[in-house]
Amino acid sequence: MSSGAPAAAEGKEGGVRAALGGLTTRGRSFLAAGVAAMVCAYVLGQSDLLRVGLLLAVLPLVCVAMLYRTRYRVAGSRRLSPSRVPAGAEARVHLRMDNVSRLPTGLLMLQDHVPYVLGPRPRFVLDRVEAGGRREVSYRVRSDLRGRYPLGPLQLRLSDPFGMCELTRSFSAYDTLTVIPRTEALPAVRLAGEAAGYGDGRQRSLALAGDDDVIPRNYRHGDDLRRVHWRSTARYGELMVRREEQPQRARCTVLLDTRRTAYQGAGPDSAFEWAVSGAASALVHMLERGFAVRLLTDTGNSVPGEGADGFAGSTQESADSAGLMMDTLAVVDHSDGTGLSPSYDVLRGGSEGLLVAFFGDLDEEQAALAGRMRQRSGAAVAFVLDSGAWVTGGATAGAVDDRLRLLREAGWTALAVPPGAALPELWQQAGRQRTEASGSGTNGFSGGWS
């Protein structure tokens, strides 16, 4: 939520000049008529005409003075519900105006600035607001394009009851609407090993509470004496306590290829947007299954970047980590890189758990490099897009089949993504391929995915 009073003028003299500039045609006509009447009254010596002239001239000036005072007595706020929405979904913007003065306002006209992609600029007309009163209005915004869009500033146009003067002032606060990629619900596919992010066969890591480790550690000040391991104490000749541990969450890395040279076309139906949406769907699905997930791009940037090796540190951080990754995908754009080497360097040696990759066009060199990534993960699934086919709407080229063959020979479960393909169907197809490969004794791995 944002709030604030209208922005002040540059100074008192400039503010008065701006206020006089807000006179409407009616106000200017009254002022001109009053001045003319006073001049005629002076020339003709008519005191009654002088009174009429004074009334005509003073009325618009009094209206200006009242509006100039009122503009500092109106507060506004904006609230987004929600502030993060998927592409194609609607968000509602709530506006509230509070009259904090002791006098009622005149007619109020509100206008909020929104980017063109979110829809037309909303305008509202509010009747007289009593002293200490408030008015609330709302409007909806919607975008088919992901991104971060500023809302504001809110403009307030004040008008007096006689229509003599109109003043427009802007609030200084902005809000940001984040439009994240569309996500699709993926089916639960059980492969070899546990289907969830926890299991008895998972590795264990030290923590503050959990099952006892058979290896004790030295006593530290503040340790609970009930955890003293007496047998080890007698053996080592110093006080030893039992270490504690908890199951380590299974890991999943979602790799998104953002190279500009790997994609053709643009727009909501382009291959790149499908890859971004697919990465978002995979992230949400794996988080729901209890995995510790990170987002990795071809540039080597890792999100959330907290905890060990860039994975989320604890279950309580999953929601924040998911929001951070979605915010990153909302604004991710093509990179200027030409290779996957930075992301390959991030994947350290050893088992990294599951690796889910969304690749654009791969040449032979990059396909070979992607094949070596398989050696740095426990299991690997790749979705390869032929962006040229997405532009023309035709079938995938033979070069894609060659890249798929190279990836499969390296141990990947690799699938081609035809134009307009549905990720849930490809996800199930990957599960079937993985099951067939495991049954035939090839491409086996430990600690499955779902």
Side-chain angles (χ1 to χ4, degrees):
M1 175 183 292
S2 63
S3 61
E10 296 77 3
K12 183 175 180 181
E13 182 179 353
V16 173
R17 187 183 303 110
L20 291 175
L23 285 171
T24 62
T25 302
R26 179 183 299 177
R28 295 176 186 274
S29 299
F30 268 65
L31 183 61
V35 173
M38 288 187 291
V39 171
C40 293
Y42 176 77
V43 173
L44 301 177
Q46 298 291 329
S47 59
D48 293 337
L49 183 59
L50 179 61
R51 298 189 188 97
V52 174
L54 286 174
L55 177 62
L56 293 177
V58 168
L59 181 59
L61 296 178
V62 171
C63 294
V64 168
M66 292 298 296
L67 287 185
Y68 182 71
R69 173 183 172 83
T70 303
R71 67 173 184 160
Y72 297 108
R73 300 291 184 174
V74 179
S77 64
R78 181 192 300 104
R79 178 171 57 88
L80 302 182
S81 178
S83 60
R84 182 189 294 120
V85 295
E90 290 185 343
R92 183 168 289 275
V93 183
H94 301 269
L95 303 176
R96 192 179 80 178
M97 303 302 301
D98 294 274
N99 182 14
V100 297
S101 69
R102 299 179 181 179
L103 298 175
T105 68
L107 192 67
L108 300 180
M109 286 167 281
L110 301 179
Q111 177 177 277
D112 206 7
H113 286 262
V114 300
Y116 175 77
V117 70
L118 296 182
R121 182 170 297 178
R123 294 180 176 88
F124 303 94
V125 177
L126 303 181
D127 292 332
R128 175 178 176 272
V129 181
E130 65 278 5
R134 69 176 56 170
R135 296 290 186 272
E136 295 185 3
V137 294
S138 65
Y139 64 93
R140 294 178 295 179
V141 290
R142 177 181 180 274
S143 174
D144 292 327
L145 301 175
R146 57 184 177 82
R148 292 172 63 86
Y149 301 101
L151 300 179
L154 177 65
Q155 283 190 340
L156 173 65
R157 180 178 296 177
L158 302 170
S159 176
D160 67 279
F162 301 102
M164 298 289 182
C165 182
E166 288 185 354
L167 294 181
T168 301
R169 291 295 180 265
S170 296
F171 292 83
S172 58
Y174 288 80
D175 283 282
T176 301
L177 175 68
T178 303
V179 180
I180 62 176
R182 293 187 182 93
T183 58
E184 298 181 271
L186 303 181
V189 179
R190 181 181 292 272
L191 300 179
E194 296 292 336
Y198 296 95
D200 296 335
R202 305 291 178 190
Q203 297 178 349
R204 296 177 175 269
S205 60
L206 298 180
L208 296 177
D211 300 329
D212 294 334
D213 195 344
V214 296
I215 302 177
R217 61 169 173 82
N218 293 330
Y219 173 83
R220 292 193 292 265
H221 179 71
D223 286 336
D224 190 348
L225 293 178
R226 291 176 297 180
R227 307 208 57 82
V228 174
H229 195 269
W230 297 109
R231 182 178 301 176
S232 299
T233 299
R235 178 180 178 182
Y236 293 104
E238 57 180 324
L239 204 57
M240 308 290 290
V241 296
R242 292 169 292 181
R243 291 193 297 178
E244 298 173 333
E245 63 173 2
Q246 68 179 5
Q248 181 179 355
R249 302 177 71 189
R251 293 177 171 182
C252 175
T253 298
V254 177
L255 173 60
L256 175 62
D257 182 9
T258 64
R259 294 171 299 135
R260 189 181 305 275
T261 57
Y263 297 95
Q264 302 179 34
D269 299 326
S270 64
F272 179 69
E273 292 301 324
W274 191 98
V276 173
S277 178
S281 300
L283 288 170
V284 172
H285 178 75
M286 302 311 294
L287 284 171
E288 291 175 349
R289 301 298 297 175
F291 282 72
V293 182
R294 69 173 172 180
L295 171 66
L296 181 65
T297 65
D298 60 288
T299 60
N301 294 328
S302 179
V303 183
E306 301 172 354
D309 302 321
F311 292 90
S314 65
T315 304
Q316 289 77 9
E317 295 175 353
S318 295
D320 295 337
S321 300
L324 181 59
M325 289 185 285
M326 286 299 170
D327 289 346
T328 301
L329 290 177
V331 296
V332 69
D333 201 356
H334 293 291
S335 69
D336 296 328
T338 58
L340 301 172
S341 298
S343 58
Y344 175 79
D345 296 335
V346 173
L347 297 172
R348 63 180 177 83
S351 177
E352 284 289 297
L354 175 64
L355 175 61
V356 181
F358 294 85
F359 293 120
D361 297 333
L362 295 173
D363 56 25
E364 186 173 355
E365 179 183 357
Q366 298 307 315
L369 182 60
R372 292 196 295 272
M373 291 182 183
R374 171 65 181 86
Q375 302 172 2
R376 302 192 173 191
S377 62
V381 180
F383 300 94
V384 183
L385 293 91
D386 180 4
S387 62
W390 280 73
V391 173
T392 61
T396 56
V400 176
D401 296 333
D402 295 337
R403 307 300 177 250
L404 293 176
R405 178 180 52 81
L406 290 175
L407 293 176
R408 289 165 182 167
E409 290 176 353
W412 285 81
T413 299
L415 295 91
V417 181
L423 181 59
E425 297 179 0
L426 294 176
W427 195 264
Q428 283 187 328
Q429 184 180 348
R432 290 193 297 267
Q433 288 189 14
R434 193 69 221 179
T435 302
E436 294 173 359
S438 299
S440 61
T442 60
N443 296 340
F445 69 96
S446 60
W449 62 283
S450 62

PDB file of all heavy atoms in Angstrom, residues 344-357:
ATOM      1  N   TYR A 344      27.631 -24.338 -16.582  1.00  0.00           N
ATOM      2  CA  TYR A 344      28.360 -25.588 -16.374  1.00  0.00           C
ATOM      3  C   TYR A 344      29.339 -25.455 -15.201  1.00  0.00           C
ATOM      4  O   TYR A 344      29.507 -26.387 -14.404  1.00  0.00           O
ATOM      5  CB  TYR A 344      29.100 -25.972 -17.650  1.00  0.00           C
ATOM      6  CG  TYR A 344      29.987 -27.191 -17.527  1.00  0.00           C
ATOM      7  CD1 TYR A 344      29.439 -28.466 -17.564  1.00  0.00           C
ATOM      8  CD2 TYR A 344      31.363 -27.057 -17.378  1.00  0.00           C
ATOM      9  CE1 TYR A 344      30.245 -29.592 -17.452  1.00  0.00           C
ATOM     10  CE2 TYR A 344      32.176 -28.167 -17.272  1.00  0.00           C
ATOM     11  CZ  TYR A 344      31.618 -29.435 -17.307  1.00  0.00           C
ATOM     12  OH  TYR A 344      32.423 -30.544 -17.188  1.00  0.00           O
ATOM     13  N   ASP A 345      29.944 -24.301 -15.068  1.00  0.00           N
ATOM     14  CA  ASP A 345      30.886 -24.090 -13.978  1.00  0.00           C
ATOM     15  C   ASP A 345      30.192 -24.033 -12.627  1.00  0.00           C
ATOM     16  O   ASP A 345      30.800 -24.372 -11.603  1.00  0.00           O
ATOM     17  CB  ASP A 345      31.672 -22.797 -14.205  1.00  0.00           C
ATOM     18  CG  ASP A 345      32.553 -22.866 -15.452  1.00  0.00           C
ATOM     19  OD1 ASP A 345      32.921 -23.997 -15.852  1.00  0.00           O
ATOM     20  OD2 ASP A 345      32.855 -21.803 -16.030  1.00  0.00           O
ATOM     21  N   VAL A 346      28.937 -23.575 -12.600  1.00  0.00           N
ATOM     22  CA  VAL A 346      28.213 -23.489 -11.328  1.00  0.00           C
ATOM     23  C   VAL A 346      27.902 -24.871 -10.775  1.00  0.00           C
ATOM     24  O   VAL A 346      27.918 -25.091  -9.561  1.00  0.00           O
ATOM     25  CB  VAL A 346      26.916 -22.670 -11.503  1.00  0.00           C
ATOM     26  CG1 VAL A 346      26.060 -22.717 -10.243  1.00  0.00           C
ATOM     27  CG2 VAL A 346      27.251 -21.229 -11.847  1.00  0.00           C
ATOM     28  N   LEU A 347      27.600 -25.800 -11.664  1.00  0.00           N
ATOM     29  CA  LEU A 347      27.288 -27.161 -11.222  1.00  0.00           C
ATOM     30  C   LEU A 347      28.587 -27.826 -10.759  1.00  0.00           C
ATOM     31  O   LEU A 347      29.415 -28.228 -11.566  1.00  0.00           O
ATOM     32  CB  LEU A 347      26.654 -27.946 -12.373  1.00  0.00           C
ATOM     33  CG  LEU A 347      25.320 -27.411 -12.893  1.00  0.00           C
ATOM     34  CD1 LEU A 347      24.900 -28.152 -14.143  1.00  0.00           C
ATOM     35  CD2 LEU A 347      24.250 -27.518 -11.823  1.00  0.00           C
ATOM     36  N   ARG A 348      28.736 -27.942  -9.476  1.00  0.00           N
ATOM     37  CA  ARG A 348      29.971 -28.496  -8.943  1.00  0.00           C
ATOM     38  C   ARG A 348      29.991 -30.010  -9.149  1.00  0.00           C
ATOM     39  O   ARG A 348      28.976 -30.630  -9.433  1.00  0.00           O
ATOM     40  CB  ARG A 348      30.111 -28.183  -7.455  1.00  0.00           C
ATOM     41  CG  ARG A 348      29.026 -28.796  -6.573  1.00  0.00           C
ATOM     42  CD  ARG A 348      29.263 -28.423  -5.121  1.00  0.00           C
ATOM     43  NE  ARG A 348      28.201 -28.925  -4.262  1.00  0.00           N
ATOM     44  CZ  ARG A 348      28.162 -30.159  -3.777  1.00  0.00           C
ATOM     45  NH1 ARG A 348      29.111 -31.009  -4.076  1.00  0.00           N
ATOM     46  NH2 ARG A 348      27.165 -30.537  -2.984  1.00  0.00           N
ATOM     47  N   GLY A 349      31.146 -30.623  -8.981  1.00  0.00           N
ATOM     48  CA  GLY A 349      31.269 -32.061  -9.138  1.00  0.00           C
ATOM     49  C   GLY A 349      30.492 -32.811  -8.075  1.00  0.00           C
ATOM     50  O   GLY A 349      30.274 -32.329  -6.970  1.00  0.00           O
ATOM     51  N   GLY A 350      30.051 -34.021  -8.399  1.00  0.00           N
ATOM     52  CA  GLY A 350      29.263 -34.825  -7.478  1.00  0.00           C
ATOM     53  C   GLY A 350      27.800 -34.766  -7.815  1.00  0.00           C
ATOM     54  O   GLY A 350      27.380 -34.180  -8.806  1.00  0.00           O
ATOM     55  N   SER A 351      27.006 -35.396  -6.958  1.00  0.00           N
ATOM     56  CA  SER A 351      25.573 -35.489  -7.197  1.00  0.00           C
ATOM     57  C   SER A 351      24.885 -34.197  -6.784  1.00  0.00           C
ATOM     58  O   SER A 351      24.956 -33.776  -5.640  1.00  0.00           O
ATOM     59  CB  SER A 351      24.972 -36.668  -6.414  1.00  0.00           C
ATOM     60  OG  SER A 351      23.576 -36.716  -6.587  1.00  0.00           O
ATOM     61  N   GLU A 352      24.232 -33.557  -7.739  1.00  0.00           N
ATOM     62  CA  GLU A 352      23.483 -32.337  -7.478  1.00  0.00           C
ATOM     63  C   GLU A 352      21.991 -32.597  -7.436  1.00  0.00           C
ATOM     64  O   GLU A 352      21.202 -31.667  -7.461  1.00  0.00           O
ATOM     65  CB  GLU A 352      23.792 -31.299  -8.565  1.00  0.00           C
ATOM     66  CG  GLU A 352      25.137 -30.638  -8.407  1.00  0.00           C
ATOM     67  CD  GLU A 352      25.181 -29.694  -7.220  1.00  0.00           C
ATOM     68  OE1 GLU A 352      24.439 -28.702  -7.205  1.00  0.00           O
ATOM     69  OE2 GLU A 352      25.940 -29.982  -6.295  1.00  0.00           O
ATOM     70  N   GLY A 353      21.589 -33.852  -7.393  1.00  0.00           N
ATOM     71  CA  GLY A 353      20.170 -34.151  -7.427  1.00  0.00           C
ATOM     72  C   GLY A 353      19.633 -34.062  -8.839  1.00  0.00           C
ATOM     73  O   GLY A 353      20.332 -34.322  -9.820  1.00  0.00           O
ATOM     74  N   LEU A 354      18.387 -33.655  -8.962  1.00  0.00           N
ATOM     75  CA  LEU A 354      17.732 -33.587 -10.261  1.00  0.00           C
ATOM     76  C   LEU A 354      18.088 -32.291 -10.982  1.00  0.00           C
ATOM     77  O   LEU A 354      18.145 -31.219 -10.390  1.00  0.00           O
ATOM     78  CB  LEU A 354      16.215 -33.671 -10.061  1.00  0.00           C
ATOM     79  CG  LEU A 354      15.349 -33.491 -11.304  1.00  0.00           C
ATOM     80  CD1 LEU A 354      15.590 -34.597 -12.312  1.00  0.00           C
ATOM     81  CD2 LEU A 354      13.884 -33.429 -10.916  1.00  0.00           C
ATOM     82  N   LEU A 355      18.325 -32.403 -12.273  1.00  0.00           N
ATOM     83  CA  LEU A 355      18.577 -31.247 -13.138  1.00  0.00           C
ATOM     84  C   LEU A 355      17.527 -31.232 -14.231  1.00  0.00           C
ATOM     85  O   LEU A 355      17.432 -32.169 -15.024  1.00  0.00           O
ATOM     86  CB  LEU A 355      19.985 -31.320 -13.736  1.00  0.00           C
ATOM     87  CG  LEU A 355      20.356 -30.235 -14.763  1.00  0.00           C
ATOM     88  CD1 LEU A 355      20.282 -28.849 -14.139  1.00  0.00           C
ATOM     89  CD2 LEU A 355      21.739 -30.488 -15.345  1.00  0.00           C
ATOM     90  N   VAL A 356      16.704 -30.175 -14.249  1.00  0.00           N
ATOM     91  CA  VAL A 356      15.679 -29.987 -15.277  1.00  0.00           C
ATOM     92  C   VAL A 356      16.081 -28.788 -16.110  1.00  0.00           C
ATOM     93  O   VAL A 356      16.212 -27.677 -15.578  1.00  0.00           O
ATOM     94  CB  VAL A 356      14.283 -29.779 -14.660  1.00  0.00           C
ATOM     95  CG1 VAL A 356      13.235 -29.598 -15.757  1.00  0.00           C
ATOM     96  CG2 VAL A 356      13.908 -30.950 -13.760  1.00  0.00           C
ATOM     97  N   ALA A 357      16.294 -29.011 -17.405  1.00  0.00           N
ATOM     98  CA  ALA A 357      16.818 -27.951 -18.265  1.00  0.00           C
ATOM     99  C   ALA A 357      15.838 -27.643 -19.395  1.00  0.00           C
ATOM    100  O   ALA A 357      15.176 -28.540 -19.926  1.00  0.00           O
ATOM    101  CB  ALA A 357      18.175 -28.355 -18.847  1.00  0.00           C
TER     102      ALA A 357
END
